[in-house]
Each structure stands twice: as structure tokens, then as C-alpha cells.
Amino acid sequence: MNDNKNNEKTALIAGATGYAGRYMVEEFESRNYTVKALVRKDPSPPFPSNVQIVRGDVTKPETLKGLFDGVDVVVSSVGITRQRDGVTYRDVDYEANKNLLEEALEAKVSQFGYVHVIHGDILADVSVGVAAKQAFVDKLQQASIQSTVVCPSGFFSDMNDFLEMAKGGRVYLFGDGHYRINPIHGADLAMATADAIEQGRSHVDVGGPDIFTHTELATLALQVMKKPVRITYMWDGIRKLIACLLPWVTPITIYGPAQFFLSAFGMDMIGETVGTHHLEKFWTEQLLSKEEEQNKK
């Protein structure tokens, strides 16, 4: 909702080079904010020339000093999917965002927007990654700053596991496939985030315009791959058993993200329907892009 009324406001986007962060930069720039993109190293591809690049490491608070001066709103999508290089979920999803919050408070920033995950309060009990995110949300909501917590249902890219199974001609589902989800494109998430911040909403669960059961997702993936619809339904107790056993037999780099996805597939993940991007088109364009790349080789 670009209304040209924000040309005197400055937004600092943390996690600007990540999937969601890049769309945040584009969205706030389109709304005539002065945009500061917080990065550790030069972005590739580069941002438009009117986007201000500010350099800092969110895990090192001393590198953030002074970067928030004159900023009206901070938007953070900082987080990791899996632990690696000795960096933990707690280091990034909690501590790094806490560093951002403390600098925002010091600079008297008016608003702080944070990208969380839908059902974060429930999933925090079964996922170490979500627990770190939820701990930050709790701290943010207690802070003396207007906050907006945006909770997406799941990204289009998270649905690619369905497409990978479909390539083999069969999709495997836990239970009877009745749970529902409306995954969202990054551009639509950015739009919903900016809207929620401008509307002063404290919390919003968001998803894309299309709601699917798991069976419908599996069917769509097989159709996009031009395969017969073959779906195998597995006893849901297997999902629960795997989620319980993984921490005992795998490192956190594996069981961290796996716990989240296994738990998420055992509940509805539905947010407010927003946006204009559709999963079928996303998958089709993704496949065409891969085919073009292969033809160039």
C-alpha cells in the first residue's frame, strides 16, 4: 500500500541480505522510506543505489553503535535455520536480536518489527530454534518500544520438499493429510509486515492467498511435475517418534530444523490470507528456471 506519506521516515532492515530481508528492503523503499540495510559484507546482488548500506555484525553489539541514529523503525528477520560454524540458535535468534533491540532503545527508535513464526508459543516447547525466537519475542514485548511481531505460516521455499518427493513420482504424508497451511511468498510477507507496522498492530499471523491441506499440496506438486497422483499416508505416530528420537541420535544441526518441521506438520499453520503470489506459479517458474540453467551448460 504505497501512499507516498513516509518520505521523512527511516527504516533500518536487519538481516537485509537474507531471503525475507531483501524483500523488506524493496517494500520499504517502495513506500518512500529512507532505507538503511544492515549488512556484514557487501550484498550480492547489490541493492539499489538509494538504499544506504550500514555495516555491522548483529552478534557483536559494539559494531552497531551509532547505526540506529535517526531511525524511526527497525525491522528484523535475523535468524538461522540450522546451527553451524559454532553459532547457536541462542546466539542469533535471541542474542543478536536482543543486541538490535538494545541499540534501538538507546537511539530512541519508535517502532520495532520482528519476523517470528506462527504458533511460536507452542512450537517453542518442541523446537530449540523456535524457543530462542520466542524468548526474544517475550523480551521485545516487555520493552518500552512499540513492537510488531509478524508470524508467517511458512515460506514457499519450505514447500519444496513436496516437489522433491513428487519428482520421484510419489509423495509421502504423515497422518491423513488433513492439516492445512497457506504458505507465503517473501514479497507478500514484506508487504504484510509493512502494513502491520504502519497500522500499529502488535501481532499478526500471516499466510499466502491460497490455503492447502497437505493432501492438496501433494497433489499440486505431482501435477506440477506432470506425474500421476500417488500419495502414501503413513501412521502419524511415526512423525512423533522421529521427533522424539532425533535429539538422541543426530547432532543439533539436523534435529534442530527437523524438530520444527515435524512438529509444524502436525497442526494447522494458517495465517491471515494476504498477497498475490501463488505457489503453483512459483513452483512452475522455479522448474523453468532450472531447465534454462541446465540448457545453458
Side-chain angles (χ1 to χ4, degrees):
M1 296 182 181
N2 190 346
D3 58 11
N4 294 319
K5 294 180 180 179
N6 302 298
N7 55 356
E8 295 182 358
K9 286 191 174 184
T10 297
L12 183 144
I13 311 299
T17 57
Y19 171 74
R22 278 193 167 272
Y23 286 111
M24 296 294 177
V25 169
E26 292 178 9
E27 181 64 28
F28 280 87
E29 192 277 332
S30 76
R31 295 179 184 227
N32 297 300
Y33 284 78
T34 296
V35 175
K36 292 185 176 182
L38 178 59
V39 302
R40 283 189 302 167
K41 55 186 178 180
D42 290 340
S44 178
F47 291 120
S49 58
N50 58 333
V51 173
Q52 299 178 21
I53 303 298
V54 291
R55 289 176 173 79
D57 186 335
V58 292
T59 65
K60 299 176 180 178
E62 66 275 9
T63 70
L64 304 177
K65 299 298 181 182
L67 300 184
F68 292 63
D69 292 346
V71 170
D72 297 288
V73 56
V74 172
V75 182
S76 175
S77 57
V78 169
I80 55 175
T81 302
R82 65 178 69 246
Q83 293 187 179
R84 57 186 174 189
D85 301 328
V87 178
T88 68
Y89 290 113
R90 188 78 179 179
D91 293 335
V92 179
D93 291 88
Y94 177 74
E95 292 291 345
N97 281 297
K98 181 171 72 71
N99 293 338
L100 293 170
L101 174 60
E102 290 174 349
E103 287 303 315
L105 292 170
E106 179 70 21
K108 294 181 170 52
V109 173
S110 300
Q111 291 179 277
F112 196 111
Y114 177 65
V115 178
H116 188 23
V117 61
I118 201 168
H119 300 323
D121 54 341
I122 299 172
L123 291 169
D125 293 333
V126 293
S127 167
V128 290
V130 178
K133 292 178 183 292
Q134 185 61 42
F136 172 70
V137 168
D138 293 341
K139 186 171 187 65
L140 173 62
Q141 292 177 332
Q142 294 169 3
S144 55
I145 190 171
Q146 184 176 348
S147 63
T148 298
V149 178
V150 181
C151 303
S153 54
F155 295 127
F156 279 5
S157 56
D158 295 332
M159 303 300 107
N160 281 346
D161 285 342
F162 285 91
L163 205 59
E164 288 300 317
M165 286 189 284
K167 288 180 182 179
R170 183 176 295 275
V171 175
Y172 296 86
L173 299 177
F174 294 111
D176 61 8
H178 77 278
Y179 287 118
R180 299 174 299 158
I181 185 171
N182 58 330
I184 189 169
H185 190 278
D188 291 337
L189 172 63
M191 179 193 68
T193 299
D195 283 347
I197 288 172
E198 292 178 355
Q199 293 163 7
R201 300 181 67 177
S202 61
H203 177 108
V204 57
D205 294 338
V206 296
D210 304 316
I211 299 175
F212 304 93
T213 65
H214 292 179
T215 294
E216 288 169 342
L217 270 177
T219 301
L220 178 62
L222 289 160
Q223 290 173 342
V224 169
M225 294 302 302
K226 296 181 172 56
K227 302 282 188 178
V229 177
R230 295 192 178 99
I231 302 172
T232 296
Y233 297 93
M234 300 180 293
W235 177 51
D236 193 51
I238 296 174
R239 176 186 61 82
K240 299 174 183 177
L241 180 61
I242 293 173
C244 290
L245 290 177
L246 280 176
W248 298 94
V249 296
T250 64
I252 194 170
T253 52
I254 294 176
Y255 79 73
Q259 277 185 324
F260 167 73
F261 286 111
L262 286 169
S263 299
F265 276 108
M267 62 180 70
D268 286 334
M269 301 283 281
I270 302 174
E272 294 180 16
T273 55
V274 300
T276 59
H277 292 76
H278 300 276
L279 183 60
E280 181 176 5
K281 184 177 180 181
F282 174 82
W283 273 344
T284 301
E285 291 177 347
Q286 183 174 267
L287 291 173
L288 288 174
S289 178
K290 288 182 179 180
E291 288 177 6
E292 289 174 359
E293 288 179 7
Q294 291 175 349
N295 292 335
K296 291 178 182 178
K297 294 180 180 179

